[in-house]
Amino acid sequence: MHDIPKEFNQDMLDHCQNISLWTNMCTFIANTGLGPLLEDSEGSFSESGWFGTNQFSVEVIFHNRMKQYRCLTNDSSKAAAFFVPFYAGLDVSRYLWGGSTTIRDSASLAMVAWLQNQPEWKVMGGRDHFMVAGRITWDFRRKTDEQSDWGNKLLLIPEVKNMTVLVIEASPWHHNDFAIPYPTYFHPSKDSEILEWQERMNSTKRTVLFSFAGAPRPEIETSIRGQIIEQCKRSIHCKLLKCDLGASKCHDPSVVMKLFEESVFCLQPQGDSFTRRSIFDSMLAGCIPVFFHQHSAYSQYAWHLLSNHSSYSVYIREEDIRTRNISIENVLLQISPERVQSMREEVIKLIPGILYANPQSHLQTMKDAFDLTVQAVVDRVTDFRMLMLEGRQIEDPKGSDANEGLKAEKESVSVIEETTRRWEGKRRKGEQEGAHFVKDSASDTVTKELKENDEGVIFETLIWKKDLLKKEAQRQNRIL
């Protein structure tokens, strides 16, 4: 792990009040990034390990896990990969609203300049380096230097394109970023806590066939949330937790987890972007996710979820909901009890790999999201190193130029990306207006937190007609 200047990480924590205009992040980056202990108003949690974790704090959690990593070495000649603990997400969040493009890019460019002067960088030109940028990929892909354009250009810097960058939502069309799970509220300290939780989720009585926790998006013509909410209201088998602005039970993690724990299926339409944190909160509760877009999970979390998507989830095309051709209730009622049981078992088996253990402890036999990610990165770098030793050109199947399956859709990708960016202004407005107050149970003070990746905009995209299973298999070959 590189010992980078404090301006790229610790200084941001020391001035945490400046990280966000809308959220007092000081509360949430405390306690190694886990945030304050949670109160359990609904009896939804196990006895320990539950924290008010912010969805954008994964880079702090990951760094603190890395500090305790058993395979960490101080001898760079023995390192299989190099971790760069740059808090890219916290950095960009300081300037997303009003900062000039020069200011937004300054830390990223300075970090790259520092890396280029390190002897370890020169060995593979950064291909053996990785870092965590704890926001979605679109916050780091500014295409122009217009002040109105969103985000910074971290992921477009040539040197960074050689690195492996871990984000909570990756671009399906670029080669240098990879999705890792959003942090949930549960951060166990030992294996037994996970086993006990899995057993509890296996034995939980689920009285609700399907549920939805979220808000409508009437201002976005392509959003299907309105139809989902309407279908839920009409069904005696659905329970709705409507997350409008202002006072809402959605702001209480115990209430949200209670809903997921009593539900067989949890509806997971697009959030601010393709993905949403709720996916992982619901799976943690043993609830079978119902996806409506391929990029909400299937093309994202190849290192942490199963390539056989139907083994743990249900997929209903967004377009079918939008045109009112499909009844969610009917689709779910047609799934046999035996199939439901099998799917739930798969979801519960996935729980260790989608959570981040407490950085202040060590799991003994289980691998959490951190462990799976580091192993995948090491495998990826090992493949690159072998190709270089063999004198072969390094190509990345995930990249649009290298993946044969995407070549025919190159123009479509451009259209999708432009459409995605067209909605960024509304997403920014949603993140600002979606700030709400939550009680810090540790200090009994009131602080501001963003709604859990549940405001903003639904990105208009094209329907993929490629074989996603084949794509997942390619990605899991580690030469990504």
Side-chain angles (χ1 to χ4, degrees), residues 87-370:
Y87 295 165
L90 299 187
D91 167 56
V92 74
S93 69
R94 296 182 293 180
Y95 313 114
L96 282 175
W97 295 270
S100 69
T101 56
T102 300
I103 292 176
R104 281 182 259 160
D105 294 337
S106 59
S108 297
L109 293 171
M111 184 273 297
V112 169
W114 183 89
L115 281 174
Q116 286 182 293
N117 288 324
Q118 307 309 307
E120 294 85 2
W121 176 271
K122 299 174 183 178
V123 176
M124 293 184 66
R127 288 191 178 276
D128 53 357
H129 283 57
F130 71 105
M131 66 179 181
V132 178
R135 294 181 68 95
I136 67 172
T137 187
W138 311 109
D139 293 337
F140 309 103
R141 292 190 177 278
R142 195 188 71 245
K143 297 183 69 175
T144 75
D145 286 332
E146 296 293 328
Q147 299 303 317
S148 59
D149 204 350
W150 176 255
N152 68 19
K153 61 180 180 182
L154 171 69
L155 293 177
L156 302 182
I157 298 173
E159 291 79 8
V160 176
K161 289 182 178 181
N162 280 351
M163 299 176 65
T164 299
V165 183
L166 311 172
V167 289
I168 52 178
E169 174 182 316
S171 165
W173 313 291
H174 298 88
H175 74 278
N176 60 322
D177 59 338
F178 298 85
I180 60 176
Y182 286 76
T184 66
Y185 300 113
F186 187 37
H187 305 280
S189 296
K190 48 190 177 181
D191 295 30
S192 60
E193 292 179 358
I194 300 177
L195 292 170
E196 290 169 4
W197 179 254
Q198 288 177 302
E199 178 58 32
R200 175 172 168 174
M201 292 304 96
N202 265 316
S203 59
T204 295
K205 184 177 181 180
R206 299 180 187 269
T207 58
V208 177
L209 178 64
F210 65 107
S211 64
F212 176 61
R217 295 291 180 268
E219 73 279 12
I220 308 302
E221 61 181 16
T222 56
S223 173
I224 63 169
R225 288 196 174 202
Q227 289 96 319
I228 285 177
I229 290 173
E230 288 178 9
Q231 288 202 30
C232 186
K233 287 180 176 179
R234 293 196 303 266
S235 173
I236 62 173
H237 300 291
C238 184
K239 187 171 183 178
L240 176 66
L241 188 59
K242 199 170 181 180
C243 301
D244 290 327
L245 299 179
S248 171
K249 291 184 178 181
C250 287
H251 305 163
D252 186 341
S254 183
V255 172
V256 175
M257 289 300 295
K258 181 70 172 179
L259 173 68
F260 295 155
E261 289 169 25
E262 65 185 9
S263 303
V264 177
F265 297 98
C266 291
L267 307 185
Q268 297 296 348
Q270 297 184 66
D272 291 348
S273 52
F274 295 129
T275 65
R276 60 196 298 239
R277 170 180 172 163
S278 177
I279 293 169
F280 297 99
D281 288 335
S282 65
M283 292 181 67
L284 175 64
C287 189
I288 301 166
V290 179
F291 297 118
F292 301 87
H293 199 287
Q294 298 282 5
H295 299 326
S296 289
Y298 300 155
S299 66
Q300 295 287 339
Y301 308 102
W303 298 338
H304 304 85
L305 301 180
L306 300 172
S307 59
N308 182 4
H309 308 138
S310 62
S311 67
Y312 73 93
S313 68
V314 175
Y315 179 61
I316 301 174
R317 291 175 68 246
E318 209 174 66
E319 185 62 25
D320 289 333
I321 299 297
R322 188 176 294 113
T323 58
R324 305 180 187 275
N325 290 334
I326 292 293
S327 163
I328 298 172
E329 177 185 286
N330 289 343
V331 170
L332 300 181
L333 283 173
Q334 290 174 14
I335 302 175
S336 70
E338 295 78 16
R339 180 65 178 158
V340 168
Q341 179 64 26
S342 175
M343 296 170 75
R344 182 184 304 123
E345 289 175 355
E346 291 297 332
V347 169
I348 293 173
K349 288 178 184 177
L350 288 170
I351 286 177
I354 63 173
L355 57 77
Y356 297 90
N358 193 319
Q360 301 177 61
S361 60
H362 287 291
L363 298 180
Q364 297 300 315
T365 62
M366 294 186 171
K367 292 184 178 181
D368 70 344
F370 170 88

Side-chain angles (χ1 to χ4, degrees), residues 380-396:
R380 170 176 157 84
V381 172
T382 299
D383 288 333
F384 284 159
R385 187 172 287 113
M386 291 300 297
L387 290 174
M388 292 179 68
L389 289 173
E390 295 170 3
R392 295 164 57 191
Q393 183 178 357
I394 296 176
E395 293 187 348
D396 202 321

Side-chain angles (χ1 to χ4, degrees), residues 432-450:
Q432 175 181 349
E433 294 179 349
H436 67 268
F437 292 99
V438 294
K439 192 172 184 181
D440 176 352
S441 58
S443 61
D444 202 35
T445 60
V446 174
T447 57
K448 207 184 259 188
E449 182 189 15
L450 301 177

